[in-house]
Amino acid sequence: MAELSTRYNPKEIESRLYEFWESGGFFKPKPDAVPPDGVRWERASAYTVVIPPPNVTGILHMGHALNNTLQDILVRWHRMKGEPTLWVPGTDHAGIATQNVVEKKLEKEGKKRQDLGREKFIEEVWKWKEEHGTTITKQLRRLGASCDWSRERFTMDEGLSKAVREAFTQLYEKGLIYQGNYIINWCPRCQTALSDEEAPSTETEGKLYYYYYLVKDPKTGKLSREGAPLIATTRPETMLGDSAVAVNPKDGRYKNLEKLEIYLPLQNRPLKVIRDDFVDPEFGTGVVKVTPAHDPNDFEMGIRHQLEQRNILTPDGRINEKGKPYEGLDRFEARMKIIEDLKAAGLFEKEVPHRHAVPHCYRCHTVVEPYLSKQWFVKMKPLAEKALKAHATGKVKITPERWNKVYTNWLENIRDWCISRQIWWGHPIPVKGDPDVLDTWFSSWLWPFSTLGWPEETEDLKRFYPTSDLVTAPEILFFWVARMIMAGLEFMGEVPFKNVLIHGTVRAQSGLKMSKSLGNAIDPIEVIDEVGADALRLSLVMLAAQDVYLSKEKFEVGKNFTNKLWNAARFSFLNLKDFKAGEFDPGLDFKKLTPVNRWILSRLEETALEVEFNLKRFALAQAATGLYHFVWGKFCDWYIELVKPTLTGPDCREKEETEKVLFTVLDQILRLLHPWAPFITEELWQKLKEFAKDKSDWPPSLMLAAWPHVEKRRFEDKASEESFKVLEQAVGGIRELRADLNLPPGQALSAVIRYRNKAAHEALLVFQKEIQKLARLDSLELKGEFKRTAAYVGHAASEVEVFIQIEGVIDREKEKARLEKKIEEVERYLDSIRKKLENPNFRRNAPEELVVEEEGKLLEQEALLKTLREHYELFK
């Protein structure tokens, strides 16, 4: 019969079980699956999820671990419900990121990509992909992700490349793709264009520089600053590309500006004077420089006023020939030299601190340059209108609700999407002779249907599109989610998924976003090696109601839970060794069961209902927490302890009944827990299956077993649940008093329980023996009235009051003195913490992690002081 080792060791089971699942084909959707009523599944009945494809360069981080655990929970749940279930895996070619990785590899060999040439370099990238590109998919297996790996895709595989060409062609023929010279975001490090979403802005402490332009004296023809406008800018180097100065038409301070001949300092070039409503009279002096080739707003002004577009930068961010005499200088070196030369010419007025938003490359974090360049664009307005309509009619639901406004606001203010990139690794622009490649996201936005075979009309596409749910992080809501919805409507005529679940961000305990660059990342593979995949999954999800604040210690929650479950199962198997029934007898009269057995079945059924309710509304953290408390608190701490005497006693009807109930409850617990903790539940369920009367009725894997769906309550027993509440309050109250008084768990005590009503009295009579055993009492009296004397201390709850006799057990005065001393110690310590936190120098200079740690100590010690004072009150 089933035997378990004394300790749970995840390393012994996880790789073995994953191999069992994958080789058994259990991750594949069953083509012959039928619903319970015998009607064949239709397309709407299939459950489909596409993985947000991680970069082929990636390694598993905690964000991936959370995201894929949430997906796996939903996938395993729907699979157990009997639905044809498909989770499509794959990876993204990650154009800029992958090219950077391979270029760094070549750099170590003393080579550049230009040395190899385009064709050889691309061969080198494919070679790197074959050698290293499977790292993250292997790590997803370690996590337990139940993807159908036979359908794994890559955004540059042959099928997806065909989809990209087809999508480009269709949009081009509709006039939705065009090429033109426009201001784009340019990364001088990566030397490529970036979309607005790939150039996020960061609040930066910069400077606002004030300097004078030059005015030509009509009499002498000389240039000087006399009467010239004072200009303010954050980027003085771009003055080399100025075409004009501008003021607001309503600004009365500069009525005569057009009468002046204004020249650019240092180059002595004449500039136009224009008036434009865009100019903010409150910014700087109200006169602004206009640089059409290096500012998106100036570009628009330049179009309106037919200004020259002077691009003064090379692709790597250096000044070109139009910026003489600063040609060859890096843009930031040029800034300093220009300021120096303006000062020497007597034209520099001042510089003041100025906090402003500066865009950075999302890959290398280089400051992005607004840059005039010929690029390919997608007209997004027509696509966004369809997406907004689909959202308004409820075709896509975003959870949590707060993200809906963010999503629609972005669509309402959408700008055209720059899709060309000046790199070598990626999908070539499908126009002959164009050297650029397409933005990585141009293949990713087709993912929900291209992975299923589009543009071919495959069986998978007919059966599994549209997909069901998408689980994703908030940072790619615009990059990916919104674009997929637009692509689905454009190319398939249907939204690509019905629900979008946006989970929180994984943060360090300090609140900072967890990242490798900040040095605060926790490696999920290390955690799996230490505590197991199930412990990691459970710990993450229970914290994921909003943002996830992590420290290594928080994984102890999952570790302790898996150990608790293992030990409970081990006890169960040892006490089911003679059990032959194999399943709960549906003919057994529930009303004739013992109160304890009725209670646990009623609580089990209620828990199953709560779990399913929370799963349906994507409250996965709440569902996990409810399961945790039922398994740990109700099943392990109460039920098993209460039935131990029966199970280890002589054979009798009650023992046989309890074995059946224990078998049933454990089976249902393992099924309910499986989506969250697939490895340990599979291992235990396979052992439990050995007790089955007819093993042929059981599927080969727990993931294919029926989900404990409760259509109609069979075991509801509110009376037993209310009675059990009295038991919990009575035993819990005595245990709390024992802890408060530092009494050893094994020390026998005498107690009195005062009941507040008839129902409580009846419950106490039913459970009197159990209370005495669990609370470790020598004697127990039940009373309707009881006046406490100095010989007793008490604890009050809603249904009962409990009192334990302390006379002869502890020295009252000695205990009182101990508490007084401890209270004084804690008060002194609290005073030192408060003084430290109130010190502005400490808050200003100490690392953020240290401040958070001290704040945690403050809360902890305040709680301890409150408890000590409550205990002291017992001895007054």
Side-chain angles (χ1 to χ4, degrees):
M1 270 300 168
E3 288 186 11
L4 292 180
S5 58
T6 54
R7 295 185 63 189
Y8 173 52
N9 185 353
K11 289 182 179 177
E12 291 179 356
I13 69 166
E14 288 182 352
S15 60
R16 167 171 54 82
L17 286 178
Y18 201 91
E19 171 61 26
F20 165 65
W21 291 332
E22 189 171 0
S23 62
F26 304 145
F27 299 153
K28 296 179 180 180
K30 297 299 179 185
D32 56 349
V34 293
D37 60 5
V39 178
R40 290 200 64 80
W41 295 106
E42 296 181 7
R43 181 174 64 173
S45 302
Y47 182 78
T48 314
V49 171
V50 291
I51 199 170
N55 289 353
V56 73
T57 58
I59 57 172
L60 197 74
H61 57 61
M62 279 299 174
H64 290 132
L66 173 62
N67 177 268
N68 286 281
T69 295
L70 296 174
Q71 290 180 81
D72 198 39
I73 289 167
L74 293 171
V75 166
R76 287 179 183 271
W77 172 45
H78 282 276
R79 188 183 288 122
M80 292 179 76
K81 286 166 68 179
E83 300 168 20
T85 302
L86 173 61
W87 186 7
V88 181
T91 50
D92 194 293
H93 67 278
I96 296 173
T98 307
Q99 178 157 316
N100 283 345
V101 167
V102 178
E103 284 194 83
K104 285 176 183 175
K105 174 181 173 288
L106 291 174
E107 198 176 301
K108 290 177 182 176
E109 300 168 5
K111 300 175 188 173
K112 293 183 178 180
R113 63 182 164 104
Q114 290 83 358
D115 298 333
L116 273 68
R118 186 169 188 143
E119 190 175 330
K120 290 286 184 187
F121 176 77
I122 291 172
E123 285 178 14
E124 195 71 20
V125 182
W126 276 109
K127 182 181 173 185
W128 183 93
K129 187 260 179 190
E130 295 307 314
E131 290 176 3
H132 305 283
T134 58
T135 298
I136 196 161
T137 55
K138 288 175 182 174
Q139 291 175 327
L140 286 171
R141 287 172 166 90
R142 294 272 327 259
L143 185 67
S146 59
C147 304
D148 182 355
W149 297 105
S150 68
R151 286 176 164 88
E152 183 178 354
R153 304 303 301 268
F154 177 55
T155 52
M156 278 184 66
D157 67 27
E158 187 177 341
L160 269 69
S161 296
K162 183 177 181 181
V164 164
R165 293 191 297 272
E166 179 64 25
F168 185 97
T169 302
Q170 286 191 26
L171 292 173
Y172 184 82
E173 289 175 350
K174 288 182 177 180
L176 293 175
I177 283 183
Y178 64 94
Q179 190 180 32
N181 284 304
Y182 291 90
I183 289 280
I184 46 90
N185 303 297
W186 183 266
C187 175
R189 159 64 182 79
C190 300
Q191 294 193 36
T192 184
L194 302 171
S195 68
D196 291 341
E197 293 74 31
E198 292 170 320
S201 291
T202 304
E203 284 294 316
T204 304
E205 295 294 342
K207 291 181 179 178
L208 199 56
Y209 302 94
Y210 288 78
Y211 56 91
Y212 287 94
Y213 276 39
L214 297 172
V215 171
K216 186 176 184 180
D217 187 312
K219 294 179 181 177
T220 66
K222 290 184 178 180
L223 301 177
S224 72
R225 60 173 272 185
E226 189 176 342
L230 183 65
I231 300 289
T233 181
T234 58
R235 297 156 65 218
E237 68 278 9
T238 61
M239 68 182 286
L240 303 172
D242 286 0
S243 299
V245 294
V247 294
N248 190 291
K250 297 171 186 172
D251 193 339
R253 293 174 293 175
Y254 303 104
K255 290 180 180 177
N256 298 318
L257 195 64
E258 286 95 337
K259 295 178 182 177
L260 301 177
E261 288 186 62
I262 296 177
Y263 281 74
L264 181 74
L266 307 180
Q267 285 190 332
N268 296 343
R269 265 192 307 107
L271 301 174
K272 287 186 177 181
V273 177
I274 63 171
R275 293 183 178 271
D276 196 284
D277 289 325
F278 176 78
V279 178
D280 179 4
E282 302 300 318
F283 179 78
T285 62
V287 183
V288 299
K289 58 194 285 303
V290 184
T291 318
H294 294 285
D295 182 278
N297 298 313
D298 290 6
F299 176 78
E300 297 297 334
M301 274 199 283
I303 297 294
R304 289 193 292 271
H305 298 276
Q306 298 180 325
L307 300 178
E308 180 189 6
Q309 297 172 339
R310 290 176 62 87
N311 188 337
I312 53 100
L313 289 177
T314 60
D316 64 351
R318 294 183 177 276
I319 305 299
N320 65 20
E321 72 283 355
K322 290 185 179 178
K324 290 179 180 179
Y326 305 97
E327 184 179 1
L329 289 180
D330 173 79
R331 54 187 167 152
F332 298 121
E333 293 172 345
R335 178 181 297 179
M336 294 300 102
K337 187 68 172 73
I338 285 169
I339 291 169
E340 183 184 315
D341 290 350
L342 287 170
K343 286 178 178 177
L347 298 174
F348 192 83
E349 177 71 11
K350 62 181 178 179
E351 60 184 59
V352 297
H354 180 67
R355 188 172 177 81
H356 61 137
V358 178
H360 290 71
C361 175
Y362 79 120
R363 278 293 164 207
C364 67
H365 310 296
T366 300
V367 173
V368 164
E369 197 66 41
Y371 193 74
L372 184 66
S373 177
K374 193 173 187 179
Q375 302 288 341
W376 289 93
F377 296 84
V378 176
K379 289 181 182 175
M380 299 302 286
K381 203 75 175 171
L383 304 180
E385 286 169 359
K386 293 180 184 178
L388 282 166
K389 186 177 179 181
H391 183 269
T393 54
K395 290 184 177 178
V396 178
K397 182 182 177 184
I398 301 176
T399 303
E401 172 62 31
R402 67 180 182 275
W403 289 105
N404 285 278
K405 183 67 177 174
V406 178
Y407 168 75
T408 55
N409 185 62
W410 183 78
L411 285 175
E412 287 163 355
N413 297 280
I414 201 164
R415 294 173 61 177
D416 286 356
W417 174 17
C418 177
I419 56 169
S420 45
R421 297 291 180 269
Q422 289 65 49
I423 57 176
W424 290 354
W425 172 245
H427 292 281
I429 300 274
V431 176
K432 288 173 185 178
D434 196 303
D436 292 349
V437 299
L438 287 163
D439 178 10
T440 294
W441 299 99
F442 195 88
S443 51
S444 303
W445 77 324
L446 311 175
W447 188 252
F449 47 91
S450 63
T451 52
L452 298 173
W454 188 87
E456 306 300 327
E457 290 189 14
T458 63
E459 285 302 311
D460 272 5
L461 192 63
K462 293 174 186 175
R463 190 175 183 211
F464 297 112
Y465 189 89
T467 69
S468 307
D469 300 329
L470 180 79
V471 182
T472 188
E475 54 264 28
I476 54 174
L477 178 61
F478 310 133
F479 271 129
W480 192 49
V481 180
R483 288 175 181 162
M484 281 193 291
I485 293 170
M486 289 185 271
L489 290 165
E490 177 65 24
F491 300 111
M492 296 294 296
E494 292 182 86
V495 293
F497 29 73
K498 305 172 188 74
N499 298 292
V500 178
L501 172 61
I502 299 177
H503 58 73
T505 299
V506 177
R507 301 184 182 278
Q509 189 63 42
S510 65
L512 292 173
K513 185 176 179 181
M514 190 170 278
S515 73
K516 193 174 179 181
S517 61
L518 292 174
N520 61 4
I522 300 172
D523 183 349
I525 297 300
E526 284 183 12
V527 176
I528 291 172
D529 287 339
E530 290 169 15
V531 300
D534 293 330
L536 173 121
R537 290 165 63 117
L538 282 162
S539 302
L540 272 179
V541 177
M542 286 176 67
L543 292 167
Q546 295 182 17
D547 281 359
V548 179
Y549 293 83
L550 274 187
S551 64
K552 267 286 184 75
E553 294 71 29
K554 293 202 174 171
F555 294 104
E556 292 295 309
V557 173
K559 176 187 174 183
N560 293 338
F561 180 80
T562 52
N563 286 334
K564 186 88 168 178
L565 178 64
W566 185 266
N567 291 334
R570 186 168 181 270
F571 168 83
S572 301
F573 296 160
L574 287 171
N575 287 280
L576 289 172
K577 59 182 181 294
D578 299 322
F579 177 60
K580 302 295 182 188
E583 60 185 34
F584 185 76
D585 183 354
L588 199 64
D589 191 343
F590 173 70
K591 292 180 181 178
K592 291 183 180 179
L593 297 179
T594 63
V596 171
N597 283 330
R598 290 204 308 274
W599 168 77
I600 194 65
L601 287 169
S602 184
R603 286 305 308 143
L604 170 68
E605 205 169 60
E606 183 66 31
T607 300
L609 283 168
E610 289 171 1
V611 168
E612 186 149 24
F613 169 75
N614 282 317
L615 282 169
K616 284 178 178 176
R617 66 189 188 100
F618 299 110
L620 276 61
Q622 291 88 330
T625 302
L627 267 173
Y628 175 93
H629 288 304
F630 172 75
V631 174
W632 188 297
K634 307 303 181 190
F635 180 65
C636 296
D637 282 357
W638 288 104
Y639 180 72
I640 285 181
E641 291 302 313
L642 285 165
V643 299
K644 271 182 182 177
T646 303
L647 291 169
T648 56
D651 289 344
C652 62
R653 187 196 64 80
E654 187 178 328
K655 181 177 181 179
E656 184 181 332
E657 166 198 305
T658 301
E659 287 175 340
K660 288 181 179 180
V661 173
L662 176 63
F663 179 89
T664 298
V665 174
L666 184 56
D667 170 56
Q668 297 295 289
I669 282 173
L670 296 176
R671 292 174 193 238
L672 287 167
L673 271 174
H674 180 71
W676 284 268
F679 292 106
I680 190 171
T681 53
E682 179 76 74
E683 180 74 0
L684 295 176
W685 191 79
Q686 293 292 345
K687 301 288 187 188
L688 185 69
K689 191 162 71 166
E690 293 179 25
F691 296 102
K693 186 165 32 179
D694 184 358
K695 294 183 180 63
S696 64
D697 291 341
W698 292 55
S701 168
L702 174 56
M703 74 167 64
L704 304 178
W707 174 255
H709 172 66
V710 180
E711 197 162 308
K712 186 178 179 182
R713 294 293 300 264
R714 291 174 58 204
F715 302 135
E716 185 174 21
D717 190 337
K718 292 297 182 186
S720 287
E721 293 195 34
E722 288 301 315
S723 296
F724 211 84
K725 189 189 294 182
V726 175
L727 167 70
E728 290 177 297
Q729 288 183 4
V731 176
I734 294 168
R735 285 174 173 172
E736 193 168 322
L737 285 172
R738 190 186 286 274
D740 291 347
L741 298 170
N742 289 319
L743 296 173
Q747 183 171 348
L749 300 171
S750 295
V752 174
I753 300 178
R754 184 175 81 82
Y755 47 86
R756 298 183 186 276
N757 51 57
K758 183 181 177 184
H761 184 208
E762 289 174 353
L764 289 170
L765 289 171
V766 170
F767 290 120
Q768 187 166 359
K769 282 194 305 183
E770 286 81 0
I771 293 169
Q772 203 160 343
K773 175 184 175 292
L774 292 174
R776 300 191 179 180
L777 301 176
D778 266 349
S779 66
L780 173 61
E781 293 182 80
L782 308 178
K783 293 181 178 289
E785 294 295 332
F786 180 74
K787 189 171 172 108
R788 182 175 75 86
T789 66
Y792 288 86
V793 292
H795 175 91
S798 62
E799 304 298 316
V800 296
E801 281 184 273
V802 297
F803 304 91
I804 60 172
Q805 187 174 342
I806 58 170
E807 197 171 76
V809 176
I810 61 172
D811 184 323
R812 291 179 62 87
E813 292 306 314
K814 190 176 177 182
E815 181 64 15
K816 190 175 177 182
R818 186 189 74 81
L819 288 169
E820 285 173 347
K821 184 181 178 183
K822 186 66 177 175
I823 286 168
E824 286 176 10
E825 287 175 4
V826 174
E827 284 176 335
R828 282 197 301 272
Y829 186 39
L830 266 172
D831 189 51
S832 70
I833 297 173
R834 289 192 185 107
K835 283 179 179 175
K836 186 184 285 187
L837 288 170
E838 287 166 5
N839 183 342
N841 290 330
F842 172 73
R843 286 197 173 271
R844 183 167 53 248
N845 300 323
E848 186 180 358
E849 290 82 1
L850 183 58
V851 176
V852 171
E853 184 182 329
E854 290 298 315
E855 289 171 338
K857 287 179 185 175
L858 179 69
L859 293 173
E860 184 182 276
Q861 293 299 310
E862 284 175 340
L864 175 58
L865 182 62
K866 181 174 181 287
T867 301
L868 288 169
R869 285 172 173 165
E870 287 171 353
H871 295 174
Y872 184 76
E873 289 297 315
L874 296 173
F875 293 92
K876 279 189 173 181

